[in-house]
Amino acid sequence: AQSVTQPDIHITVSEGASLELRCNYSYGATPYLFWYVQSPGQGLQLLLKYFSGDTLVQGIKGFEAEFKRSQSSFNLRKPSVHWSDAAEYFCAVAPNTGTASKLTFGTGTRLQVTL
Amino acid sequence: DGGITQSPKYLFRKEGQNVTLSCEQNLNHDAMYWYRQDPGQGLRLIYYSQIVNDFQKGDIAEGYSVSREKKESFPLTVTSAQKNPTAFYLCASSRTAPNYGYTFGSGTRLTVV
């Protein structure tokens, strides 16, 4: 079974600073990988996803993530954080079966942005 | 606009009472899911359905029940057997092939009073 680890529970960055949120997965093959963002009291919004091909994927709101097979990682990055990026971020993995399947989520990283 | 609607946004349950959370989607997605979210635990899968009139248990199905009589609807009932129901509940849907990830509703916060 697949699993996801987000080692950082809480991260604080200054507005304008760069950001990297870590995500490590466990799966026997190359999985489908996702990053979601959640504002307080809201549902989750998809930021970006990786299925195959180029290992650097671009998402919405200026986010990008890089798939590194050798490290089983899919870290989320943003060059310059805005105060509105404060939220909780979830990494998720699904088997690469070509059909709908269950997503397994990490426990999330809460991002705080200081002005 | 297409999307997923969860209602109500807030729900209060008395001890020993069953309550039903609504989830409706107009995205024409075949698969639907229910997750429970507790602080520090991420999202845990309760039930999922990939086709009408069929559903499977997730990781924490005890004390919950679902039905999938229509493609658009996937209601979740929290029964009195669920001893700790206070949580944030999220419904999601997806296509079945290929997997594009989930679209989420805005959630229902259930509190036991």
Side-chain angles (χ1 to χ4, degrees):
Chain A
Q2 67 266 25
S3 66
V4 178
T5 301
Q6 293 182 248
D8 303 306
I9 296 173
H10 184 239
I11 285 182
T12 300
V13 299
S14 300
E15 189 175 37
S18 63
L19 171 70
E20 183 168 27
L21 302 182
R22 295 184 290 165
C23 173
N24 292 97
Y25 68 89
S26 174
Y27 183 64
T30 299
Y32 292 145
L33 293 160
F34 307 84
W35 274 100
Y36 286 86
V37 61
Q38 184 183 35
S39 298
Q42 299 297 316
L44 278 68
Q45 180 184 21
L46 180 66
L47 284 175
L48 47 78
K49 56 185 181 280
Y50 173 79
F51 290 165
S52 64
D54 192 347
T55 57
L56 184 64
V57 293
Q58 302 296 321
I60 62 171
K61 304 186 180 188
F63 286 93
E64 66 178 26
E66 185 171 13
F67 169 62
K68 293 186 177 180
R69 186 193 310 273
S70 61
Q71 299 177 19
S72 296
S73 69
F74 189 57
N75 293 350
L76 183 71
R77 302 194 294 244
K78 188 170 185 179
S80 177
V81 170
H82 188 262
W83 64 267
S84 61
D85 293 324
E88 189 149 24
Y89 292 80
F90 292 92
C91 182
V93 61
N96 188 344
T97 61
T99 60
S101 50
K102 297 177 291 181
L103 261 65
T104 298
F105 288 85
T107 52
T109 297
R110 181 165 298 278
L111 173 66
Q112 182 177 357
V113 180
T114 59
L115 301 177
Chain B
D1 288 340
I4 296 183
T5 301
Q6 289 188 243
S7 61
K9 190 171 180 63
Y10 300 96
L11 186 58
F12 298 90
R13 192 193 92 167
K14 294 181 180 179
E15 295 283 352
Q17 202 176 42
N18 292 355
V19 293
T20 297
L21 283 61
S22 172
C23 178
E24 303 276 335
Q25 56 100 357
N26 60 3
L27 299 165
N28 199 32
H29 285 171
D30 289 306
M32 297 187 74
Y33 313 82
W34 274 105
Y35 282 86
R36 170 178 171 144
Q37 186 176 23
D38 297 281
Q41 296 195 46
L43 280 73
R44 293 182 290 167
L45 183 64
I46 306 173
Y47 269 99
Y48 65 104
S49 168
Q50 296 190 325
I51 194 170
V52 173
N53 292 323
D54 186 47
F55 47 84
Q56 287 77 43
K57 293 181 178 180
D59 302 317
I60 56 165
E62 185 175 351
Y64 300 97
S65 66
V66 294
S67 63
R68 187 86 186 277
E69 297 177 0
K70 298 187 300 181
K71 186 176 184 177
E72 302 79 18
S73 178
F74 192 41
L76 173 74
T77 296
V78 184
T79 75
S80 57
Q82 172 49 241
K83 298 306 179 189
N84 184 24
T86 295
F88 191 53
Y89 291 87
L90 286 161
C91 180
S93 69
S94 72
R95 302 182 192 182
T96 52
N99 189 341
Y100 288 101
Y102 295 177
T103 299
F104 280 87
S106 56
T108 293
R109 184 164 299 281
L110 174 62
T111 303
V112 175
V113 296

